[in-house]
Amino acid sequence: MRRDKYLLALIGLTAVSMIASLYLVFVYVPTERTMGLVQRIFYFHVPSAWVGFLAFLVAFVAGIAYLARRDWRWDVAEATSVEIGIAFSTIALVTGSLWARPTWNTWWTWDPRLTTTLVLWLYYVSMLLLRQMIENKERQARFSAVLSIVGFVNVPIVFLTIRLWRTIHPVLFTSEGFALESSMLLTLLVSLLTFTLLYFCLLWLRVRQEYLRAEIDRMKDQLLSAS
Amino acid sequence: MSTWRTVIAIVAKDVASELRSKETLSTLLIFALLIMVVFNFAFELRVENVRQIAPGVLWVAFTFSGILSLNRSFVVEREEGCIEGLRLTPVDRGAIYLGKFVGNTLFMLAAEVCILPLFAVLFDVSVLNPTLWLIVVLGTVGFAAVGTLFAAMTVNTRAREAMLPLLLFPITVPVLIAATKATGQILDGQPFAEISAWLRLLVAFDAIFTVIAWLGFEYVLEE
């Protein structure tokens, strides 16, 4: 494919950024005083949660674009983004749980961010299940576009509801700026960049795979109708 | 036909067919009663005061039985090819949504009106409180608004009935939390000011999702 050299460049950039963040996380950044070594999971936990959220945002935008334009490529972007979003929310939930055990002394708590992530995870997994149960391609695309829009609109509402209910999760970004030491902030920002680049690599590869699949299907049809 | 006349015609059709068969309401009622009885058995053995879990049990009964009603509303449309008929009528798709949504809300509310006295008896609480009724109406509207949209989708899939709760429960988490919290506060006799935050949340959810579902329904029904 023509754009493959851009894809290679993106993968290269991601690799460099990945090595840089690994260095920062394991060598450069000082160990946090009260929580100790386990706090380093933070630099994977926060970026995973962010990418999960970003992926669902992309799916929301692609869903709207599909309903407006009816181009199957928007549907591919939406469905693949949801897949990646589920993978990263799973990582965020697991790393969060591992971190919560030594610091909060519990594996799980019904905090707004945790609960919202879990609710999103459940919803989008159900959405992919529904996709698989519809044979008609066009209907599949239409339904999942509507579902990705409804799901994302619900995010702030779920979050506010549970915040009204209870919270113990630390707030990193307050109105006065970041509540983080500068070396830790740098590490976090580089990790966020790495994970975001990784997301776009994965999205590109998945979308490319789906295009190739469509191309093969088209060629098969051509061959069958010719013979 | 104006939008409102279409809505009323669809609601009237659903109510008339329900009054003849009484299938939805009877299954809804028995199922909701069953949930309350099962929960009573399940918790009575461990919980000191069953009244503490009463609001949760009430809303689980409402939402689980509501799923039956929502599924039913589109399964019957599909069975006799009625949905094709609705699609062919030269009316706004949004009006069809509103008709089905109002019908679903009415069925759920009708069942809930019967469940509330039973709830009062089983859990020994008073349900003669207009604020409680308001919460029941707001919660039901929110649940039915999203549920009607999702039921129209899931009826077209292979798994049919099984898929609706999977999609609907995550989306209606705010409704369930707000309604359960507010119901609990009322049963504890807290002042209205305490409850108003939850009421506002329910109103906001209802407004946002009625509009979104109404817009989205057009894309779900087209073929």
Side-chain angles (χ1 to χ4, degrees), chain A residues 189-224:
Chain A
L189 290 178
V190 175
S191 295
L192 280 171
L193 175 72
T194 306
F195 271 70
T196 309
L197 286 172
L198 181 64
Y199 162 73
F200 283 109
C201 279
L202 291 171
L203 184 67
W204 196 330
L205 283 167
R206 267 300 274 135
V207 167
R208 183 175 172 275
Q209 190 187 11
E210 289 297 317
Y211 286 3
L212 289 174
R213 191 207 299 272
E215 183 72 12
I216 291 171
D217 284 346
R218 197 184 56 80
M219 284 167 152
K220 267 189 199 157
D221 284 349
Q222 227 171 26
L223 206 67
L224 285 173

Side-chain angles (χ1 to χ4, degrees), chain A residues 109-113 162-171:
Chain A
T109 164
W110 296 102
D111 149 273
R113 260 151 290 192
I162 300 159
R163 198 164 66 180
L164 261 175
W165 186 31
R166 58 177 59 167
T167 188
I168 66 163
H169 201 288
V171 179

Side-chain angles (χ1 to χ4, degrees), chain A residues 67-68 70 115 119-120 122-136 138-139 142-144 146-147 149-155 157-162 164-166, chain B residues 78 87 146 149-150 152-154 156-160 163 166-175 177-178 181 197-198 201 204-205 208-209 212-213 216-223:
Chain A
L67 290 181
R70 300 305 167 107
T115 313
V119 166
L120 279 182
L122 286 167
Y123 179 75
Y124 284 102
V125 169
S126 309
M127 181 183 146
L128 284 188
L129 276 176
L130 184 86
R131 256 184 93 84
Q132 282 172 3
M133 286 179 190
I134 306 170
E135 270 104 41
N136 180 331
E138 188 268 341
R139 182 189 278 168
R142 243 184 317 118
F143 284 11
S144 53
V146 171
L147 286 174
I149 294 168
V150 173
F152 196 74
V153 168
N154 204 28
V155 174
I157 305 176
V158 174
F159 186 80
L160 283 176
T161 309
I162 300 159
L164 261 175
W165 186 31
R166 58 177 59 167
Chain B
R78 215 182 120 102
R87 234 182 237 139
V146 194
L149 175 73
F150 284 3
M153 279 191 232
T154 51
N156 284 306
T157 61
R158 261 183 283 134
R160 299 264 174 89
M163 276 312 292
L166 261 65
L167 288 166
L168 187 54
F169 285 139
I171 289 290
T172 51
V173 158
V175 175
I177 291 177
K181 270 301 230 185
W198 295 112
L201 204 134
F205 184 96
I208 292 169
F209 279 98
I212 289 190
F217 198 75
E218 198 171 317
Y219 298 102
V220 171
L221 217 57
E222 74 179 41
E223 295 293 279

Side-chain angles (χ1 to χ4, degrees), chain A residues 6-19 21-22 43-52 54-55 58 80-81 83-85 87-89 91-92 189-207:
Chain A
Y6 297 113
L7 175 60
L8 278 177
L10 180 63
I11 293 174
L13 190 64
T14 312
V16 171
S17 175
M18 184 84 74
I19 292 164
S21 29
L22 284 175
Y43 306 109
F44 296 99
H45 172 71
V46 174
S48 307
W50 150 250
V51 168
L54 174 71
V58 169
T80 50
S81 193
E83 286 173 12
I84 300 169
F88 278 95
S89 346
I91 297 173
L189 290 178
V190 175
S191 295
L192 280 171
L193 175 72
T194 306
F195 271 70
T196 309
L197 286 172
L198 181 64
Y199 162 73
F200 283 109
C201 279
L202 291 171
L203 184 67
W204 196 330
L205 283 167
R206 267 300 274 135
V207 167

